[in-house]
Amino acid sequence: MGLNTRNYSWSNADGSVRSRIDFHCTSPTVKPGWSSMVAIHFSDHRAVSFEGELIGKFTAGPGLWKLNCSLLENEDLVANLRVPHVELRDMRDLLHGEWWEWVKDRFRSFFQDAGRAAAQEKLNKFGQLQSKLQRLFDLELRGWDVDNKLDETRKGLAEHFREESRKIIC
């Protein structure tokens, strides 16, 4: 947080006990950039935000691709898949033996793009909720009555964290 800055990531309600309990652990290929702490008003902890720069060679293997089945619950996405699916089915006679490999590549690309877009949208929504919570908290400190909006925003963030924790547990 800075050489002469004392910033604590946890404190009890009255502020009499404070601690720095969060750390940034990175690979040697990451050069630390900036970091900041964001108040989380439904917790006694603060969120630590960190950004770094990739300076070394970072290699990722090809790995396995598995369909994110939750994407199939999105009716609009499935509807967008139906039109190209009919065209792909019609290509079967032209491509003979290579058809299935060709179709798998198209489906994989389609769902990978959709998954990236869904993840980015989720990340953007989380960032918006965090920013809104910080703005509302600042307004509350200035004497504004924002209790209803604070509760609504906290519920949105709590739902986000419930979904994220389900991923870890399952």
Side-chain angles (χ1 to χ4, degrees), residues 138-167:
D138 290 344
L139 289 173
E140 184 181 56
L141 289 175
R142 291 186 175 97
W144 289 49
D145 181 20
V146 292
D147 288 341
N148 291 340
K149 296 265 188 205
L150 271 172
D151 288 341
E152 177 185 310
T153 307
R154 287 177 179 144
K155 286 176 186 173
L157 283 166
E159 179 58 29
H160 170 81
F161 288 120
R162 262 193 302 280
E163 288 177 26
E164 291 299 309
S165 64
R166 276 191 214 114
K167 290 180 196 173

Side-chain angles (χ1 to χ4, degrees), residues 3 17 28 30 34 37-38 52 68 74 78 91 104 109 116 127 130 133-134 136 139 146 159 164 167-168:
L3 294 174
V17 179
V30 176
W34 61 268
M37 291 194 192
V38 181
N68 177 353
N74 182 331
V78 172
M91 297 289 290
K104 281 195 308 188
S109 294
R116 279 191 285 276
Q130 275 293 109
L133 186 64
Q134 187 66 52
L136 289 170
L139 289 173
V146 292
E159 179 58 29
E164 291 299 309
K167 290 180 196 173
I168 295 168

